[in-house]
Amino acid sequence: MRKFILLGTFVFLFFACKSSAPAVAPTAPVAATKLDKKSQVAIKGNWQITNVTYPGSEYFKVNSFNIADSKCFIGSTWNFISNNNKGSMALAGAGCTSFSSPIVWSINNEGMFVLKIVEAGVKSKTVQSGFLLKVANQTETTFELIDKIDVAGQQKDIVYHFKRTN
């Protein structure tokens, strides 16, 4: 995932693990603050990730959002509330560790999805890092979030495919 604010460099081995984020990264992307309200309103509601795709997925695993293997996100449920940019996400896939968390999110005017995963009881303004993903192929019932991963020195896309459930 491309992180923002307190960012790190990505290191992917064939096990595809990311390095820890240093306190300051001079080349770290910064999320634009101007929001795309129309795109945000379009994804309010309940969604499920139907697939996660990336080149080489048959050869190595990717740890998504520093939580679990990317394939554990298939079937995960997401709720987006557009008027306050809050929501939740939950994983409960077979053979995967269960995980749920409140989230704070937005879509900026550059088409970037800004995501903070917030621990219960923690104020989002105290969370100093998060993830930037590109919003793509947005319709009334589907959209994609695209991240860049480094595989053997080459940038590849990892695509999270969402489908509306309500």
Side-chain angles (χ1 to χ4, degrees), residues 68-91:
D69 178 68
S70 62
K71 298 302 181 186
C72 289
F73 280 81
I74 297 171
S76 64
T77 55
W78 296 67
N79 173 263
F80 301 106
I81 304 168
S82 63
N83 66 339
N84 67 4
N85 298 98
K86 293 185 179 180
S88 61
M89 53 90 65
L91 289 97

Side-chain angles (χ1 to χ4, degrees), residues 30-40 106-114 134-135:
V30 177
T33 57
K34 195 159 185 97
L35 302 180
D36 181 348
K37 294 285 189 181
K38 183 178 177 183
S39 292
Q40 287 187 171
S106 62
I107 300 174
N108 67 26
N109 65 351
E110 297 171 346
M112 298 302 290
F113 186 90
V114 181
K134 179 78 176 159
V135 177

Side-chain angles (χ1 to χ4, degrees), residues 9-90:
T9 305
F10 306 113
V11 175
F12 284 93
L13 305 171
F14 282 98
F15 197 57
C17 295
K18 293 184 180 188
S19 65
S20 298
V24 177
T27 59
V30 177
T33 57
K34 195 159 185 97
L35 302 180
D36 181 348
K37 294 285 189 181
K38 183 178 177 183
S39 292
Q40 287 187 171
V41 169
I43 68 166
K44 88 175 174 185
N46 297 312
W47 297 80
Q48 185 173 52
I49 294 181
T50 58
N51 201 7
V52 179
T53 58
Y54 56 93
S57 62
E58 63 275 11
Y59 301 111
F60 63 94
K61 295 181 179 193
V62 172
N63 185 328
S64 293
F65 306 107
N66 298 325
I67 296 171
D69 178 68
S70 62
K71 298 302 181 186
C72 289
F73 280 81
I74 297 171
S76 64
T77 55
W78 296 67
N79 173 263
F80 301 106
I81 304 168
S82 63
N83 66 339
N84 67 4
N85 298 98
K86 293 185 179 180
S88 61
M89 53 90 65

